[in-house]
């Protein structure tokens, strides 16, 4: 019951954060220099045309009314239309979302898996060569700008060794699988299309490694220090003194408690992955949300960028909510307030 | 002489700090990298072999050689010279972003933490909203709105980053304001302004200093990322991210083109990470006295 109350409270809180997020995005979109109506009308438009456009888009109304209209539309799932392509932004976001989702989730999985494993190995061999090598590797990974790493991967693995692909989700001679989830790897598996599955998986490798590398060091470091903290806890000593086998102590006493902070870290890491995905998508010509937003921005088309920002903030909020709930579920010592 | 006497404890602490830094080779390495960066930035005009913007159409995209140690770019400009001048830009970028964000964030965090109440609540809820965006996404939107220049990218990063410092300061201040020495200062009638800036602020600055050192590299990385996307420094500015962005189309024939500017960013961030980690251990009062 307490948990339900906690979740409700957090959802309520998230709602207000989202209101704030839309306010920030709205204010940002209003500080754009230049008149969007002028931009929309294009060259050779008369003053009358521009005035009509302003009226049609509600830009001649008071600013707080404009914001409320924007909120109302948002609640109805209307994120506006792109100024240039005239396509509804929501439609575009839906089209591009699966590509970003596929990339981010695979990277999160890779980073979490390798981060935790290397962290455990490091902690087990504290101050040995493996530990030093792993910590060095983590530090190097943390210090590497993602756009540089991406280009280096392309340079060495694709251009030098001729392996894998330089970009895109699928080779040009293949048709995408029937859209069920929108994730090429999953859809091709469901429809049993092995050629497409293999091809899309091979396309995914470089971008997801690039993205995962930017966070794996953080997870590894955190796992290591967390385990080293827990090892000295009294309950571990008690378990040892009563003669429990090491296997059980490691698994149930040390790992279970040491991995708790990692759950929280995943929320933070997810935000970094979303930022990193924008850059990764540009390097690997990955047709996802980030590339869509950047391309729109380059043509001074603000509506897609606003929709994108609100969507990303929402996703980030939801993931952190889930992370916090999981944390309280896994750690009964946490007191809900 | 009197002055020396007066500040003797502080000087002794400072000496001890340097002693601790000297004992840790990695921290020393980080410090050396940052000092090297500052030297390169200050002496850029003297040590760069060529003018960073002089175009030489005969020697375009030449691989590294004795003439051009890091090779040349598409316009035949010397990459080494461009990277050296880029150090100047990166140094300013890092200082401005972290300086602005830390100053604004710390003051707001100090106010929110000390006075609490409605004002504190409002300030902290605003930080929540800003922290609801992943850094780069909000910075992208703000830079795009202000117009893609390096100046605006820096401003955008500062706007995105101050809430981190507000949070940090807030959590420090709510602990410190309950300390006995604050209670003592209050009871002998120290005024509020003095209490805030002479007693609470200096004692909470350590955390800000460590975070600022770590963020210095991150700020350079994020603004380089904005330039890479095309939202920051514009050509022909020799900004590291912008140079790498230029190099994308010549990846196949010019490996040196993205490699060296990226290496410069990488080493800088490595330096601030090493120094920041080291400072955290050195300045932590719980670990500090363990070596004695």
């Amino acid at each position: 019951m307490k948990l339900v109350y906690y979740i409700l409270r957090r959802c309520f809180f998230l709602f207000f954060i989202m209101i704030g997020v839309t306010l920030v995005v709205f204010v940002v979109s209003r500080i754009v220099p230049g008149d969007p109506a002028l931009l929309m009308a294009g060259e050779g438009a008369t003053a009358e045309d521009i005035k009509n456009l302003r009226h049609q888009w509600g830009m001649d109304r008071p600013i707080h009314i404009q914001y409320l209209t924007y909120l109302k539309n948002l609640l109805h799932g209307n994120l506006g239309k792109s100024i240039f392509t005239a396509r509804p932004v929501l439609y575009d976001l839906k089209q591009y979302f699966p590509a970003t989702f596929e990339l981010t989730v695979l990277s999160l999985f890779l980073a979490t898996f390798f981060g935790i494993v290397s962290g455990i190995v490091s902690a087990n061999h504290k101050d040995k060569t493996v530990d030093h090598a792993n910590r060095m590797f983590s530090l190097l990974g943390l210090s590497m700008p993602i756009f540089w790493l991406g280009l280096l991967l392309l340079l060495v693995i694709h251009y030098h060794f001729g392996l894998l692909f330089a970009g895109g989700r699928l080779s040009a001679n293949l048709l995408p699988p029937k859209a069920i989830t929108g994730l090429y790897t999953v859809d091709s598996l469901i429809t049993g299309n092995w050629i497409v599955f293999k091809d899309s998986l091979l396309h995914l490798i470089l971008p997801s490694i690039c993205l995962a590398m930017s966070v794996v060091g953080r997870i590894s470091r955190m796992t290591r220090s967390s385990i080293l903290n827990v090892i000295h806890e009294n309950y571990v000593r008690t378990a040892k003194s009563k003669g429990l086998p090491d296997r059980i102590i490691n698994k149930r006493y040390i790992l279970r408690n040491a991995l708790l902070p990692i759950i929280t870290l995943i929320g933070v890491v997810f935000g970094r992955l979303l930022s990193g995905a924008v850059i990764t998508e540009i390097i690997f010509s990955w047709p996802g949300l980030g590339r869509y937003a950047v391309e729109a921005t380059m043509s001074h088309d603000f509506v897609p960028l606003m929709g994108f920002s609100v969507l990303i903030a929402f996703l980030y909020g939801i993931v952190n909510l889930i992370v916090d709930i999981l944390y309280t579920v896994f750690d009964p010592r946490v007191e809900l307030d | 002489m009197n002055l020396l006497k007066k500040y003797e404890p502080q000087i002794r602490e400072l000496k001890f700090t340097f002693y601790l830094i000297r004992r840790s080779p990695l921290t020393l390495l980080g410090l050396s990298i940052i000092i090297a960066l500052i030297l390169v930035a200050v002496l850029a005009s003297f040590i760069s072999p060529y003018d960073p913007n002089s175009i030489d159409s005969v020697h375009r995209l030449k691989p590294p050689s004795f003439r051009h140690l890091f090779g040349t770019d598409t316009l035949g400009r010397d990459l080494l010279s461009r990277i050296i001048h880029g150090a100047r830009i990166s140094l300013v970028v890092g200082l401005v972003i972290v300086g602005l964000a830390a100053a604004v964030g710390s003051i707001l965090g100090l106010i929110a933490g000390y006075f609490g109440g409605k004002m504190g609540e409002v300030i902290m809820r605003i930080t929540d909203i800003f922290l609801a965006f992943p850094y780069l996404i909000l910075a992208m939107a703000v830079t795009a709105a202000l117009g893609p220049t390096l100046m605006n990218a820096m401003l955008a990063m500062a706007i995105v980053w101050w809430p981190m410092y507000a949070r940090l300061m807030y959590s420090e201040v709510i602990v410190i304001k309950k300390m006995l020495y604050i209670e003592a200062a209050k009871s002998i009638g120290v005024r509020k302004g003095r209490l805030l800036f002479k007693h609470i602020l200096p004692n909470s600055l350590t955390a800000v200093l460590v975070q600022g050192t770590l963020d210095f590299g991150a700020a350079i990385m994020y603004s380089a990322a904005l330039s890479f996307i095309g939202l920051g420094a514009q050509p022909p500015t020799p900004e590291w991210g912008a140079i790498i962005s230029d190099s994308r189309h010549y990846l196949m024939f010019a490996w040196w083109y993205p490699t060296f500017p990226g290496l410069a960013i990488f080493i800088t961030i490595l330096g601030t990470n090493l120094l920041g980690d080291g400072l955290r251990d050195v300045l932590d009062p719980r670990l500090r006295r363990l070596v004695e």
Side-chain angles (χ1 to χ4, degrees):
Chain A
M1 204 52 226
K2 228 175 168 183
L3 187 65
V4 176
Y5 179 69
Y6 173 75
I7 294 172
L8 281 178
R9 226 180 58 97
R10 283 294 307 264
C11 287
F12 189 65
F13 188 60
L14 181 65
F15 176 76
F16 277 100
I17 289 282
M18 285 313 294
I19 298 275
V21 162
T22 57
L23 191 63
V24 169
V25 170
F26 184 77
V27 168
V28 166
S29 77
R30 291 296 127 150
I31 50 174
V32 187
D35 189 343
L38 213 67
L39 212 65
M40 267 189 278
E43 273 177 61
T46 61
E48 189 67 19
D49 290 343
I50 294 170
K51 206 179 148 204
N52 282 339
L53 259 178
R54 291 181 71 88
H55 183 73
Q56 194 188 325
W57 286 69
M59 281 185 268
D60 49 358
R61 278 184 262 170
I63 193 97
H64 61 280
I65 301 288
Q66 286 188 39
Y67 175 63
L68 289 179
T69 319
Y70 169 69
L71 266 191
K72 199 183 101 196
N73 286 337
L74 204 65
L75 285 178
H76 288 101
N78 178 1
L79 293 173
K81 275 183 190 167
S82 154
I83 296 177
F84 277 84
T85 61
R87 276 199 307 264
V89 170
L90 186 68
Y91 174 81
D92 278 350
L93 290 179
K94 270 187 199 156
Q95 292 286 307
Y96 289 107
F97 177 74
T100 302
F101 186 77
E102 200 170 28
L103 176 63
T104 318
V105 168
L106 183 61
S107 305
L108 187 61
F109 175 77
L110 286 176
T112 314
F113 179 78
F114 287 105
I116 290 178
V117 167
S118 65
I120 293 174
V121 171
S122 233
N124 277 343
H125 302 270
K126 186 171 176 277
D127 292 329
K128 304 267 172 60
T129 320
V130 192
D131 182 30
H132 288 306
N134 182 40
R135 289 168 73 190
M136 204 62 214
F137 179 79
S138 298
L139 190 67
L140 296 184
L142 280 176
S143 309
M144 224 178 243
I146 190 166
F147 50 95
W148 186 53
L149 176 70
L151 291 182
L152 287 188
L153 283 175
L154 272 182
L155 197 64
V156 175
I157 295 181
H158 182 70
Y159 291 119
H160 188 74
F161 290 111
L163 298 171
L164 300 169
F165 300 96
R169 290 178 81 187
L170 214 56
S171 300
N173 58 351
L174 292 174
L175 282 176
K178 196 167 144 260
I180 301 167
T181 57
L183 313 173
Y184 284 3
T185 45
V186 176
D187 287 350
S188 57
L189 260 189
I190 296 175
T191 51
N193 192 339
W194 290 104
I195 301 167
V196 172
F197 175 71
K198 199 179 139 208
D199 194 72
S200 58
L201 199 60
L202 287 179
H203 274 86
L204 252 176
I205 293 179
L206 276 189
S208 53
I209 288 181
C210 172
L211 192 51
M213 273 290 284
S214 63
V215 294
V216 71
R218 278 184 79 143
I219 300 179
S220 175
R221 277 178 150 197
M222 180 90 146
T223 309
R224 177 182 181 275
S225 65
S226 177
I227 290 177
L228 292 179
N229 273 338
V230 171
I231 280 178
H232 299 295
E233 290 282 351
N234 286 334
Y235 54 78
V236 174
R237 190 168 3 113
T238 312
K240 268 191 189 139
S241 62
K242 73 179 183 184
L244 278 182
D246 275 352
R247 191 170 40 82
I248 291 182
I249 295 179
N250 284 341
K251 215 167 156 187
R252 287 208 211 136
Y253 286 69
I254 297 177
L255 265 192
R256 193 184 185 289
N257 286 298
L259 291 186
L260 282 172
I262 306 297
I263 300 177
T264 321
L265 184 65
I266 283 176
V268 180
V269 157
F270 186 71
R272 291 199 67 156
L273 286 180
L274 287 174
S275 287
V278 175
I279 295 164
T280 313
E281 285 173 9
I282 290 172
I283 296 172
F284 293 96
S285 317
W286 194 259
L289 291 173
R291 215 166 76 106
Y292 167 68
V294 170
E295 275 169 6
T297 310
M298 285 303 154
S299 46
H300 299 281
D301 192 354
F302 258 82
V303 191
L305 185 62
M306 287 164 72
F308 168 74
S309 306
V310 172
L311 174 68
I312 294 291
F314 182 66
L315 280 178
Y316 190 36
I318 289 283
V319 166
N320 274 297
L321 177 65
I322 295 173
V323 158
D324 286 351
I325 292 171
L326 278 183
Y327 192 87
T328 58
V329 170
F330 283 120
D331 192 350
R333 286 170 305 183
V334 173
E335 288 211 2
L336 304 174
D337 54 353
Chain B
M1 199 54 213
N2 245 339
L3 215 62
L4 262 181
K5 263 245 155 55
K6 189 181 166 200
Y7 286 108
E8 209 207 327
Q10 277 89 342
I11 293 172
R12 206 171 344 116
E13 278 297 296
L14 215 60
K15 272 187 177 162
F16 185 58
T17 304
F18 279 115
Y19 164 72
L20 286 176
I21 290 177
R22 273 206 310 276
R23 281 168 44 102
S24 148
L26 284 181
T27 316
L28 211 55
L29 177 64
L31 186 64
S32 323
I33 291 174
I34 301 307
I35 291 175
L37 175 78
I38 295 171
L39 282 180
V40 168
V42 171
L43 301 174
S45 318
F46 300 103
I47 54 174
S48 74
Y50 298 88
D51 178 344
N53 290 320
S54 83
I55 292 169
D56 176 0
S57 49
V58 181
H59 298 97
R60 293 170 53 196
L61 287 179
K62 286 276 178 270
S65 63
F66 281 113
R67 242 182 94 122
H68 299 285
L69 279 180
F70 287 179
T72 60
D73 69 4
T74 44
L75 298 173
R77 295 174 293 196
D78 180 51
L79 268 178
L80 176 61
S81 306
R82 288 182 70 72
I83 290 169
I84 288 174
H85 280 266
R88 193 173 268 184
I89 296 173
S90 289
L91 188 69
V92 173
V93 163
L95 285 177
V96 169
I97 295 175
V98 174
L100 268 180
V104 174
S106 303
I107 290 175
L108 288 176
L110 185 67
I111 293 171
Y114 186 74
F115 295 108
K118 277 213 179 92
M119 189 162 48
E121 192 67 17
V122 169
I123 292 174
M124 293 325 283
R125 292 297 82 80
I126 292 175
T127 66
D128 282 339
I129 291 167
F130 275 86
L131 292 170
F133 294 94
Y135 282 145
L136 191 68
I137 311 283
L138 185 59
M140 255 172 67
V142 176
T143 322
L146 293 172
T149 64
L150 185 61
M151 199 55 127
N152 289 340
M154 284 177 350
L155 192 62
M157 288 310 302
I159 291 175
V160 171
W161 223 307
W162 70 265
M164 269 286 289
Y165 288 94
R167 274 268 178 96
L168 188 66
M169 199 65 177
Y170 177 81
S171 55
E172 289 283 309
V173 170
I174 53 172
V175 174
I176 290 176
K177 78 172 179 186
K178 288 187 188 133
M179 293 274 183
L180 212 55
Y181 60 86
I182 299 296
E183 182 100 42
K186 260 192 205 160
S187 62
I188 58 167
V190 174
R191 270 178 287 121
K192 242 180 207 155
R194 198 180 158 76
L195 194 70
L196 268 179
F197 291 101
K198 280 269 173 182
H199 294 263
I200 296 180
L201 187 68
N203 281 299
S204 45
L205 272 185
T206 313
V208 174
L209 185 69
V210 171
Q211 192 59 42
T213 311
L214 289 168
D215 283 350
F216 181 76
I220 292 175
M221 173 150 73
Y222 276 108
S223 48
L226 283 176
S227 298
F228 177 78
I229 297 175
L231 287 171
Q234 301 297 326
T237 318
E239 200 270 343
W240 294 338
I243 301 177
I244 297 177
S245 182
D246 283 343
S247 77
R248 277 180 62 208
H249 309 288
Y250 308 96
L251 210 53
M252 265 179 283
F253 348 94
W255 61 267
W256 56 92
Y257 198 171
T259 305
F260 291 116
L263 206 57
I265 303 180
F266 172 61
I267 292 175
T268 306
I269 301 170
L270 188 65
T272 60
N273 279 341
L274 289 172
L275 184 62
D277 281 353
L279 280 185
R280 176 165 25 217
D281 295 345
V282 165
L283 297 178
D284 188 335
R286 281 164 304 172
L287 300 173
R288 192 177 168 88
R289 295 292 163 194
L290 286 180
V291 279
E292 280 177 320

